[in-house]
Amino acid sequence: MAVVKNILTGLLVLVEIFLIGVVLLQSGRKAGLSGAIAGGAETFFGKNKARSFEGKLQRWTKVSAVLFIVIALVLVILE
């Protein structure tokens, strides 16, 4: 049982680091003045948002957050 806990703890640390990195790479909701000027470009990118870099970052944030919660709950249950 100790081996499983150690493996899950190591995996949890890796997911934590990945989650922090993905969140830090995302831009804010409002990009300031440049977002106001380039607002017309949102109509094109809005359709293809899932394929853009921002869309991928959002997807990876959700996946890593779910993994973090599941692994943390499994570790608590194993205690």
Side-chain angles (χ1 to χ4, degrees), residues 2-59:
V3 174
V4 174
K5 286 182 187 178
N6 289 337
I7 291 172
L8 286 175
T9 303
L11 188 61
L12 185 66
V13 170
L14 290 176
V15 171
E16 289 171 358
I17 293 170
F18 182 76
L19 181 61
I20 290 169
V22 170
V23 168
L24 288 177
L25 283 174
Q26 292 181 6
S27 63
R29 290 268 182 214
K30 298 189 182 211
L33 185 60
S34 64
I37 294 172
E42 286 185 32
T43 57
F44 174 72
F45 291 116
K47 296 177 185 175
N48 297 322
K49 188 172 182 177
R51 295 185 197 146
S52 70
F53 184 65
E54 287 293 322
K56 291 178 183 177
L57 282 177
Q58 287 179 359
R59 183 179 308 130

